[in-house]
Amino acid sequence: MAAAAASTPQGVAERRGIPAAAFVEDVEAYLRQAGLDVNSALAFLQERLQQYKIVEMKLLAQQRDLQAKIPDIEKCLDIVAALQAKKALGEALIADFELSEGIYSRAKIEDTDSVCLWLGANVMLEYSCDEANALLKKNLGNAKASLEVLVADLQFLRDQQTITQVTIARVFNWDVHQRRSKQAVKET
Amino acid sequence: MQQGDGTEAQVTWEDQQNINRFGRLNNRLHELQDEIKLAKEANENLDDAGNELILSDEDVVRFQIGEVFAHMPRDDVETRLEQMKEDAAKKLERLEEEKESILAQMAELKKILYGKFKDAINLEED
């Protein structure tokens, strides 16, 4: 019988700190090897499921942050492109912006070579338009790459949750089957 | 998995992988449904904007870039809007196609899994 420990023929043993759920080939062998009775096994598996859920919450929050960040960076790139286009035409850019809730003001941006980028942590730096473009593109690339990795993490995590749920159901069914067989034997 | 009578089929690693794949597809389907809703709204908004533009007769239009409204000549705005509408339509089409593909794959997996496990497994939306 195949061992109950996480084995390589069935994928990786863990991914970036998330342990893989061991696939159980045979319920009886699994229980015997782990030395657990049914209730302890079920409790252990339920706890594992809870832990997976907690990690899932954390990853989902990170995913939401990244998904909000990406359109922001794209908007910044649009503005820098608009400024550069106006500069090429030799015209000033006139824009209406929100001064306060419901109050707008007009700005005339003339012949600009540089923009200021908010870097976070109360820090704003002045960059030339070209430098700003490069930095923003790099940040956008990083954010998209991080999002891809995160999505893959979430898929892996959900797979482990599914495996654990199926294992719980199988252990439970096996137990029911055992009880019924014992009952049937008693009655003969 | 529902309660069985002990004669139900054993779950192999291949079965588990199929179940996992079904779960992944189902998740992606829900995400897609949300994305499609947003894409449809975006398309509608762009159409409305186009209509408003035709109705107005101003030469200078305030076009939103980021958080500010830049003054742009009407023709430029028309061009940009056309481009945005085209991109939005293509994106919606792409999303709908992905959704069709996923539904087909899910139907395939349902056939396989129900075939083996019959009513020991439930793959319906709750």
Side-chain angles (χ1 to χ4, degrees):
Chain A
M1 279 291 143
S7 45
T8 35
Q10 288 159 3
V12 297
E14 63 104 53
R15 185 196 153 97
R16 286 166 34 97
I18 307 168
F23 177 69
V24 168
E25 292 282 355
D26 179 81
V27 175
E28 191 162 350
Y30 167 70
L31 291 174
R32 209 181 328 124
Q33 263 183 331
L36 292 170
D37 67 303
V38 171
N39 287 331
S40 310
L42 285 174
F44 166 72
L45 289 167
Q46 288 285 15
E47 204 195 311
R48 261 302 177 86
L49 200 58
Q50 287 305 97
Q51 288 169 340
Y52 283 142
K53 279 247 173 290
I54 293 176
V55 177
E56 187 183 4
M57 294 288 116
K58 197 177 72 159
L59 289 181
L60 282 174
Q62 284 177 356
Q63 187 188 26
R64 271 193 295 271
D65 286 340
L66 276 174
Q67 281 173 332
K69 212 165 130 188
I70 288 176
D72 275 350
I73 303 179
E74 286 172 343
K75 281 184 202 172
C76 289
L77 278 167
D78 281 346
I79 288 270
V80 175
L83 285 171
Q84 285 179 309
K86 279 294 189 183
K87 185 176 158 71
L89 290 173
E91 290 168 11
L93 176 70
I94 303 178
D96 294 342
F97 64 98
E98 196 176 29
L99 198 57
S100 173
E101 180 91 34
I103 302 176
Y104 289 77
S105 182
R106 190 156 292 168
K108 187 173 184 189
I109 306 164
E110 294 183 320
D111 196 12
T112 177
D113 278 324
S114 65
V115 290
C116 295
L117 292 178
W118 179 264
L119 299 179
N122 284 340
V123 173
M124 184 181 257
L125 267 192
E126 189 173 356
Y127 292 89
S128 74
C129 282
D130 290 329
E131 284 174 342
N133 258 329
L135 180 66
L136 286 170
K137 288 208 173 100
K138 189 174 77 125
N139 286 351
L140 188 63
N142 288 344
K144 285 186 174 167
S146 296
L147 191 59
E148 253 182 64
V149 170
L150 201 65
V151 165
D153 282 350
L154 269 169
Q155 285 184 327
F156 174 78
L157 186 62
R158 290 198 177 114
D159 280 354
Q160 306 321 306
Q161 283 181 316
T162 308
I163 296 178
T164 310
Q165 285 166 332
V166 169
T167 307
I168 289 175
R170 288 169 65 204
V171 168
F172 183 82
N173 284 353
W174 179 85
D175 183 46
V176 167
H177 176 55
Q178 287 297 99
R179 286 173 201 273
R180 287 208 185 131
S181 319
K182 290 209 178 89
Q183 200 64 16
V185 165
K186 253 194 240 164
E187 280 160 10
T188 44
Chain B
M1 309 294 266
Q2 264 85 305
Q3 277 191 311
D5 56 1
T7 54
E8 70 264 16
Q10 273 292 59
V11 179
T12 65
W13 176 235
E14 195 188 324
D15 295 325
Q16 182 66 70
Q17 283 179 303
N18 279 340
I19 296 172
N20 287 352
R21 199 171 315 137
F22 187 84
R24 282 197 193 194
L25 289 172
N26 195 26
N27 283 330
R28 181 66 193 137
L29 181 67
H30 286 283
E31 278 176 19
L32 268 177
Q33 280 165 340
D34 288 340
E35 284 180 35
I36 286 177
K37 200 174 89 162
L38 287 175
K40 282 193 174 144
E41 272 175 32
N43 269 303
E44 272 173 32
N45 286 341
L46 288 172
D47 282 338
D48 287 346
N51 291 338
E52 284 297 329
L53 191 62
I54 295 174
L55 288 173
S56 90
D57 55 2
E58 290 173 39
D59 288 322
V60 173
V61 182
R62 285 158 197 70
F63 186 85
Q64 184 177 20
I65 305 182
E67 303 299 324
V68 304
F69 296 90
H71 290 208
M72 279 175 75
R74 191 204 174 91
D75 294 330
D76 286 2
V77 174
E78 263 176 34
T79 317
R80 277 184 91 138
L81 203 57
E82 278 313 307
Q83 185 60 48
M84 284 168 79
K85 277 205 260 190
E86 213 182 292
D87 292 341
K90 277 203 204 121
K91 180 172 171 181
L92 185 60
E93 200 185 316
R94 225 183 348 107
L95 289 174
E96 298 274 13
E97 271 173 24
E98 196 185 338
K99 182 173 140 183
E100 289 308 304
S101 159
I102 286 190
L103 285 173
Q105 289 177 58
M106 281 172 75
E108 219 12 75
L109 281 171
K110 269 190 184 179
K111 247 189 346 187
I112 297 175
L113 288 170
Y114 278 142
K116 178 160 182 193
F117 295 109
K118 300 192 191 19
D119 55 4
I121 193 169
N122 176 20
L123 298 168
E124 304 309 315
E125 205 71 43
D126 31 35

